[in-house]
Amino acid sequence: MTGPGGADPVGEAPELFVDAWDPGYGASFEAVPGGPATPSRQQVDAEVELPAVDWRAIDVRPGVRAPDVVLLVDGVRRIDASVWTAEADGASFPGVAASYAAGVVRCDLERGAARLAGTQVRRGLFTASPSAREVRAGTVRYPVHRVGGTGELNKLQAAVQGPLTALEVEVSGAARVDGDLLVVDGPLRSRRQLPRTLGYVKTQHSQYLDARLTAVVTGLRAGQRSPVFRLVTAWGGYSWYLRLPVSGGAPWAGIVRVECSAELAESEAFALADLSLVTLPRFASTPYKDPRAPQNLVPIAGLERRLRALLGDARLLHRALTAAARGRGPRV
């Protein structure tokens, strides 16, 4: 994928057409979605911290205290418009004009204070068109991010994740201090190189453990965690489950999966698991404040609202993109 700083291809810019559908309803060329989630096929080493036969709930260990500073980082993305290009040779490519933002909340646990430590907003036109140019919609710019293949809709939307992840790394790096703990909302993915960093997965789509070990997870009480296990894949790492404070009794209520880098020593992973158990529950949300309680952490919920506001008015941007396309606006 060529980023916005790459050289423009030689040739005339194609015509650009904005899909009339509101992006909130998908697009008129939307591909058929995939099937439901299936059990994970990833190889799992469950005997990292305890032998599988000895798996049990782990309580907060004596002497473990939360760090003085916790940074929580999150990103949001939105499709502002679905578009089509009309190439000079008669071909046509779909695309999406997207806005995305990342931010970090600095929680000073020693002082009991939290503040927004940094935000960044970016936009882009994601398409497989070989000749697409940057779109200017009024004062807003959508640099081209070229994707491979024919540009199926699901690939275009997924392509936004790479630049968004890079933006999250940028904003969190600028806010870090010695001894802090960084919590990333979602899997670590390409952020595994960041020191003292946890990936926080609040929605469980895959089942990694066998039935007996899963029973240990669903049997956790609030404030307990599972033993650390390891996902043996290229994107794998150390992982564990913990249960946040929750009033409901459903088996997976309040359960989150936490992960850290596979490059750490086992003892470092165990220490981070213990640290997560005394840190994350204090940020748990409550049902009367958040329908995704308790998994949607309070600082993350506030950060999401702020970032979505920074993206701007979706309706105005859609109108501006439509006007830019009608006025041959995609030219640099």
Side-chain angles (χ1 to χ4, degrees), residues 64-67 181 196 270-280:
V64 177
R65 59 181 295 270
L181 177 69
R196 285 174 64 82
F270 304 158
L272 282 174
D274 288 336
L275 197 62
S276 72
L277 198 54
V278 297
T279 304
L280 297 177

Side-chain angles (χ1 to χ4, degrees), residues 310-325:
L310 291 175
L311 293 182
D313 190 302
R315 293 169 299 177
L316 293 178
L317 287 169
H318 191 275
R319 291 172 191 165
L321 284 162
T322 301

Side-chain angles (χ1 to χ4, degrees), residues 102-124:
V104 58
V105 177
R106 185 182 191 275
C107 299
D108 189 329
L109 301 186
E110 195 171 34
R111 295 173 48 223
R115 64 176 178 84
L116 191 63
T119 59
Q120 292 283 345
V121 178
R122 297 283 189 275
R123 307 185 199 275

Side-chain angles (χ1 to χ4, degrees), residues 19-37:
D19 199 298
W21 285 25
D22 185 319
Y25 295 99
S28 57
F29 56 86
E30 187 168 3
V32 176

